[in-house]
């Protein structure tokens, strides 16, 4: 059967129309949300323009003060205790003044500070270099300033670990599950081959709770909205002298340290 | 025809090899899996319905879970309002598996049948099986 030019054009036009209809049908199929369903943020959720944390060093006196905070974080987030510095996974940990604030110490600083442990965690930088280098956007900065990790997307390339100037990220060299003493069924574990770090307890903020470490710190850690002049963090920062880690790099960390305590303010 | 004997024998062996799986499985009936929803939490539900109707969940649970993970992790929206206006917390571990605590019966049965190996459980903690 042969068709003339006119027949062909008619057929082609009709197929185009049908084709367009086909595309909308495909789009319709891709839309899997049933009917009027939608997602929303919990009404109880805490929100901010820029979350920040202030660490008041004077409130940490005994070893137990540090341990409580670290324990609170690591137990609820199923952070494994591998017991080997090479494979170690950590979200919040301690180190010396010299390591925490390189170049900011001097020979005759108070003895108490020289050997005092300092709490370290992800700084949730304003300009996070880890986010810039992540090839899969597994790590990203949320609108509220939290530098988040999407473990589903992490391919374990560890560019972010190389980029982070604070060593805040840990890589899972081994399956973490056997090293978790007591699993918290509320929160997932991680798997071998992904990077992880502190998330400012985004899952607790979503439920209207303060981060776990802040809750357990007896006022040593203060958490709040840096953009709100009436927030607790702003009040503390405006009345105390504070320093941040490696400010010269320009990443603008959101974790502030009050070194002298209130008497030296 | 040159070497017809060898060629034909070779062909017969080849066809035989290729058809082995068909012979191997012929006569065996594969039973369609019927995932069980009998768990203590579901038994107590007045209306036994998931976050969406059963037919929708059957066809789209994977897409729904994918959307859920994006909205919870990336957008921070953790409340799902279904087509009937009912609210649910977006969480595989705490919402889905609370009702479907019989993972072996409910998830694995179909996934094994379809040879689908989702890696959800590499991170998400599967519920301890409730055998009551």
């Amino acid at each position: 059967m042969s068709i003339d030019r006119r027949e062909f054009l008619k057929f082609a036009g009709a197929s185009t129309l049908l084709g367009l209809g086909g595309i909308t049908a495909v789009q319709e199929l891709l839309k899997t949300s049933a009917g009027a369903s939608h997602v929303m943020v919990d009404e109880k959720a805490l929100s901010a323009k820029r979350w920040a944390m202030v660490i008041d060093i004077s409130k940490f006196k005994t070893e137990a003060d540090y341990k409580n905070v670290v324990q609170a974080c690591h137990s609820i987030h199923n952070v494994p205790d591998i017991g080997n510095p090479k494979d170690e996974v950590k979200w919040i940990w301690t180190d010396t003044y010299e390591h925490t604030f390189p170049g900011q110490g001097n020979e005759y600083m108070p003895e108490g500070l020289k050997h005092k442990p300092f709490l370290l965690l992800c700084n949730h930088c304003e300009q996070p270099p880890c986010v810039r280098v992540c090839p899969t956007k597994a790590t990203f900065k949320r609108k509220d300033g939290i530098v988040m990790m999407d473990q589903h997307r992490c391919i374990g390339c560890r560019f972010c670990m190389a980029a982070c100037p604070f060593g805040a990220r840990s890589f899972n060299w081994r399956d973490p599950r056997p090293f978790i003493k007591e699993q918290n069924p509320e929160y997932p574990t991680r798997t071998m081959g992904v990077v992880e770090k502190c998330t400012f307890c985004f899952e607790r903020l979503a439920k209207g709770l303060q981060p776990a470490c802040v809750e357990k710190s007896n006022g040593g850690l203060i958490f709040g909205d840096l953009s709100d002049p009436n927030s607790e963090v702003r009040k503390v920062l405006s009345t105390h002298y504070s320093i941040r880690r490696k400010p010269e790099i320009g990443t603008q960390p959101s974790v502030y340290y009050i070194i002298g305590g209130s008497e030296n303010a | 025809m040159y070497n017809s004997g060898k060629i034909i024998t070779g062909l017969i062996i080849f066809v035989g090899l290729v058809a082995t799986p068909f012979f191997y499985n012929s006569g065996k009936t594969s039973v369609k899996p019927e995932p069980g929803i009998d768990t203590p939490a579901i038994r107590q539900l007045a209306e036994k319905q998931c976050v969406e109707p059963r037919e929708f969940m059957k066809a789209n649970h994977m897409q729904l879970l994918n959307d859920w993970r994006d909205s919870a992790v990336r957008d921070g929206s953790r409340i799902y309002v279904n087509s009937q206006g009912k609210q649910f917390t977006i969480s595989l571990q705490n919402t889905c598996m609370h009702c479907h605590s019989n993972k072996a019966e409910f998830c694995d049965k179909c996934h094994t049948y379809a040879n689908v190996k989702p890696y959800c459980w590499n991170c998400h903690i599967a519920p301890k099986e409730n055998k009551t």
Side-chain angles (χ1 to χ4, degrees):
Chain A
M1 193 186 80
S2 65
I3 52 172
D4 60 14
R5 188 183 147 87
R6 189 179 163 76
E7 284 286 298
F8 172 76
L9 285 176
K10 266 188 193 166
F11 184 72
S15 332
T16 314
L17 282 176
L18 280 176
L20 286 175
I23 288 166
T24 40
V26 168
Q27 277 169 345
E28 214 45 52
L29 283 172
L30 284 174
K31 228 191 279 163
T32 47
S33 51
S37 71
H38 60 276
V39 289
M40 61 183 219
V41 178
D42 197 332
E43 282 150 15
K44 283 181 290 176
L46 302 179
S47 64
K49 279 210 182 100
R50 190 179 171 200
W51 287 118
M53 189 181 278
V54 177
I55 299 178
D56 187 348
I57 289 303
S58 65
K59 297 269 168 63
F60 290 90
K61 293 192 176 84
T62 61
E63 211 167 290
D65 293 339
Y66 294 96
K67 218 178 147 192
N68 274 343
V69 169
V70 175
Q71 190 66 31
C73 170
H74 284 190
S75 63
I76 72 157
H77 293 119
N78 293 322
V79 177
D81 179 16
I82 297 175
N84 155 6
K86 193 184 134 285
D87 300 329
E88 180 182 38
V89 177
K90 54 197 189 325
W91 284 30
I92 180 165
W93 69 104
T94 56
D95 209 335
T96 57
Y97 184 94
E98 213 178 311
H99 287 156
T100 311
F101 305 104
Q104 291 185 61
N106 64 51
E107 208 179 333
Y108 304 110
M109 62 189 281
E111 274 302 304
L113 275 186
K114 233 184 218 172
H115 305 292
K116 199 175 172 125
F118 286 79
L119 274 177
L120 308 181
L121 68 157
C122 168
N123 281 295
H124 297 275
C125 306
E126 178 90 67
Q127 304 287 340
C130 52
V131 169
R132 220 173 59 198
V133 299
C134 180
T136 60
K137 298 262 192 299
T139 186
F140 58 99
K141 200 173 139 222
R142 303 203 325 177
K143 281 195 198 90
D144 56 5
I146 296 180
V147 176
M148 254 296 285
M149 290 265 344
D150 184 347
Q151 308 293 349
H152 305 105
R153 277 211 195 183
C154 181
I155 55 168
C157 70
R158 294 182 286 133
F159 282 13
C160 58
M161 293 178 74
C164 177
F166 306 104
R169 292 170 165 262
S170 305
F171 185 67
N172 283 280
W173 290 101
R174 349 175 35 160
D175 179 17
R177 287 238 170 124
F179 301 98
I180 302 166
K181 264 183 224 115
E182 220 172 288
Q183 285 183 349
N184 172 21
E186 303 265 303
Y187 198 84
T189 68
R190 266 72 54 200
T191 181
M192 193 165 80
V194 296
V195 174
E196 63 180 83
K197 68 170 193 75
C198 154
T199 57
F200 263 174
C201 284
F202 77 109
E203 84 285 359
R204 287 172 62 90
L205 297 175
K207 284 190 266 181
L209 297 165
Q210 290 265 310
C213 55
V214 175
E215 216 168 64
K216 282 282 163 68
S217 66
N218 292 325
L221 303 178
I222 303 133
F223 187 74
D225 187 356
L226 206 58
S227 68
D228 173 14
N230 298 317
S231 69
E232 179 92 30
V233 277
R234 279 287 288 275
K235 275 181 200 155
V236 175
L237 287 178
S238 58
T239 51
H240 297 75
Y241 179 71
S242 59
I243 56 173
R244 289 189 284 177
R245 295 188 66 198
K246 302 187 183 175
E248 68 278 12
I249 300 173
T251 64
Q252 301 289 353
S254 297
V255 176
Y256 293 76
Y257 293 83
I258 295 173
I259 298 298
S262 50
E263 66 276 10
N264 296 348
Chain B
M1 207 158 96
Y2 300 113
N3 294 327
S4 60
K6 280 180 193 163
I7 291 170
I8 288 165
T9 324
L11 276 176
I12 288 168
I13 292 170
F14 174 75
V15 170
L17 279 176
V18 167
T20 313
F22 296 98
F23 292 128
Y24 183 73
N25 282 327
S26 69
K28 281 183 198 166
T29 47
S30 53
V31 186
K32 197 175 144 204
E34 293 287 342
I37 53 160
D38 184 36
T39 67
I42 292 177
R43 251 179 268 152
Q44 276 168 20
L45 287 176
E47 186 198 354
K48 291 185 180 40
Q49 201 204 334
C50 194
V51 299
E52 293 290 352
R54 174 192 279 231
E55 286 312 310
F56 178 85
M57 291 310 289
K58 252 188 193 171
N60 296 316
H61 68 276
M62 53 305 254
Q63 188 65 47
L64 181 103
L65 288 174
N66 202 33
D67 291 347
W68 271 28
R69 99 179 177 191
D70 284 350
S71 70
V73 179
R74 301 199 80 91
D75 308 330
S77 304
R78 293 183 157 255
I79 301 288
Y80 179 74
V81 186
N82 76 1
S83 37
Q84 281 97 50
K86 244 176 129 188
Q87 295 192 1
F88 297 91
T89 306
I90 292 181
S91 170
L92 173 65
Q93 243 168 259
N94 304 317
T95 302
C96 302
M97 301 319 279
H98 171 67
C99 282
H100 298 290
S101 53
N102 52 351
K103 174 180 163 283
E105 177 73 20
F106 186 73
C107 308
D108 299 349
K109 225 176 184 178
C110 282
H111 288 161
T112 311
Y113 176 76
N115 198 17
V116 176
K117 296 186 184 83
Y119 47 82
C120 310
W121 312 109
N122 291 2
C123 293
H124 291 272
I125 298 170
K128 290 200 178 76
E129 306 282 328
N130 293 321
K131 287 192 182 97
T132 46

